Amino acid sequence: MGRSPCCEKAHTNKGAWTKEEDDRLIAYIRTHGEGCWRSLPKAAGLLRCGKSCRLRWINYLRPDLKRGNFTEDEDELIIKLHSLLGNKWSLIAGRLPGRTDNEIKNYWNTHIRRKLLNRGIDPATHRPVTDHPTTPTTTSTTVTTTVNNHNVTSPPPPDIISFATAKPAHVKNEEMEEDTKLNISSPDHQKQERCPDLNLELRIGPPQHHSSNMIPSISYMQQPLMTGGTICFACSLGVQDNKECRCSANATSGNNNNNVGFDFFKIKNGALDYRSLEMK
DNA sequence: AAACATAGCAACCGCCAGTAA
DNA sequence: GTTACTGGCGGTTGCTATGTT
């Protein structure tokens, strides 16, 4: 047999929280701390499901929540992180101290989606809405840009980011990008990818400890490293010195180490568990 | 001023991975 | 090894506020 049920389905309130319920929840968590959401409602004298308490605390009552409007920098960071991670709102929230996944999700759906559409960018794919599968576009990394001793021919638009590698024109861009994101390294891909074993199973450090890096990270990501005509995602994220990256950019890693915001996901410092991002 | 449309956001729902029993 | 619960996540809903006609 498993555990007992998390909460009584009956006799629980739903809908908007009252001030009194908020106060009870805050008082209880201040005294006893977070955790054991199952027993919390009863212990705190709340007629709520533990799940509901957790959500209310995390999304609304937590004292370290930032509240207020998103800044332009936060906007851009969300866009870029979304282009990397997709709808992984909790991961994205992990890079925005004081913001919750729910808040970012809402903000994306209400503001950023429209913003991108106005720019002619598909918010789902981060590519121009008129993009044709067989036509190389600015979202493809066939652009040869150079940062730090790398060739530059045409820098990518600031809000479009892709980690696909150069590939024959008959290969759909979508397939390329998905494969790269998912770290699918077919033999054919390995011929062309400098960092074939890039793994997006990233482990991220606690945001509150790195918030000062947030802004430099943005500027760095607006100038991703190119490796022979392709963007090396690992380098872009600042893992040149790590095992994760075997691309040629390592040759200049000494310089890159000085790059501000280089350690975007704080990977250099070792294994970091994104779950530690949960804001407490 | 009233009616309607739209935007914003808090909260719920359902699913899933991990894990206690 | 199996069952069933917990905690967490992403998607969606529905209420409220604001804007427009």
Side-chain angles (χ1 to χ4, degrees), chain A residues 11 80 98 100 103 123 146 168 179-180 205 217-219 239 262-263 273:
Chain A
H11 312 305
K80 291 180 194 315
T100 69
E103 189 179 13
T146 292
D179 287 357
T180 307
S217 296
I218 296 169
S219 60
V239 294
F262 165 72
D263 195 3
D273 187 347

Side-chain angles (χ1 to χ4, degrees), chain A residues 68-124:
Chain A
N69 295 335
F70 282 74
T71 65
E72 267 301 310
D73 289 334
E74 284 176 316
D75 274 20
E76 295 305 316
L77 183 57
I78 290 168
I79 291 167
K80 291 180 194 315
L81 287 169
H82 186 271
S83 73
L84 301 178
L85 303 166
N87 295 355
K88 301 292 179 190
W89 305 116
S90 59
L91 281 176
I92 293 171
R95 295 312 304 173
L96 287 134
R99 303 295 189 184
T100 69
D101 53 354
N102 202 39
E103 189 179 13
I104 292 170
K105 181 170 59 182
N106 284 332
Y107 187 66
W108 176 270
N109 288 327
T110 56
H111 292 88
I112 300 183
R113 267 173 58 87
R114 200 163 48 236
K115 185 175 172 180
L116 290 180
L117 286 171
N118 285 341
R119 293 179 187 177
I121 297 167
D122 182 347

Side-chain angles (χ1 to χ4, degrees), chain A residues 178-190:
Chain A
E178 285 304 309
D179 287 357
T180 307
K181 281 180 188 173
L182 299 172
N183 190 26
I184 299 169
S185 300
S186 68
D188 183 48
H189 285 186
Q190 287 185 340

Side-chain angles (χ1 to χ4, degrees), chain A residues 23-96:
Chain A
D23 290 343
R24 278 178 185 268
L25 182 57
I26 292 168
Y28 182 86
I29 291 177
R30 275 190 186 148
T31 308
H32 301 92
E34 287 182 51
C36 200
W37 296 107
R38 178 197 165 216
S39 60
L40 187 149
K42 193 175 181 181
L46 289 163
L47 291 173
R48 289 275 177 178
C49 173
K51 214 169 184 178
S52 179
C53 294
R54 177 186 158 270
L55 220 58
R56 181 65 176 172
W57 174 256
I58 288 176
N59 287 334
Y60 198 80
L61 298 176
R62 238 173 37 195
D64 58 333
L65 291 179
K66 196 182 270 183
R67 298 265 157 226
N69 295 335
F70 282 74
T71 65
E72 267 301 310
D73 289 334
E74 284 176 316
D75 274 20
E76 295 305 316
L77 183 57
I78 290 168
I79 291 167
K80 291 180 194 315
L81 287 169
H82 186 271
S83 73
L84 301 178
L85 303 166
N87 295 355
K88 301 292 179 190
W89 305 116
S90 59
L91 281 176
I92 293 171
R95 295 312 304 173
L96 287 134

Side-chain angles (χ1 to χ4, degrees), chain A residues 1 20 30 59 63 70 85 89 100 116 119 122 124 144 154 166 194 198 221 228 232 238 241 247 268 271 279:
Chain A
M1 285 302 209
E20 188 188 346
R30 275 190 186 148
N59 287 334
F70 282 74
L85 303 166
W89 305 116
T100 69
L116 290 180
R119 293 179 187 177
D122 182 347
T144 54
S154 65
R194 299 296 183 101
L198 166 63
M221 288 192 69
C232 172
D241 287 345
C247 80
K268 283 199 302 183
M279 299 174 191

Side-chain angles (χ1 to χ4, degrees), chain A residues 141 143-151 156 161-164 195 219-240 245 247-253 255-257 259 262:
Chain A
T141 51
V143 286
T144 54
T145 303
T146 292
V147 180
N148 298 341
N149 300 330
H150 294 74
N151 294 328
I161 191 163
S162 167
F163 299 95
C195 303
S219 60
Y220 178 71
M221 288 192 69
Q222 284 171 339
Q223 296 182 323
L225 278 174
M226 302 293 183
T227 60
T230 64
I231 298 176
C232 172
F233 183 28
C235 293
S236 295
L237 296 178
V239 294
Q240 291 101 316
C245 177
C247 80
S248 60
N250 278 335
T252 57
S253 62
N255 295 335
N256 292 336
N257 280 342
N259 217 333
F262 165 72

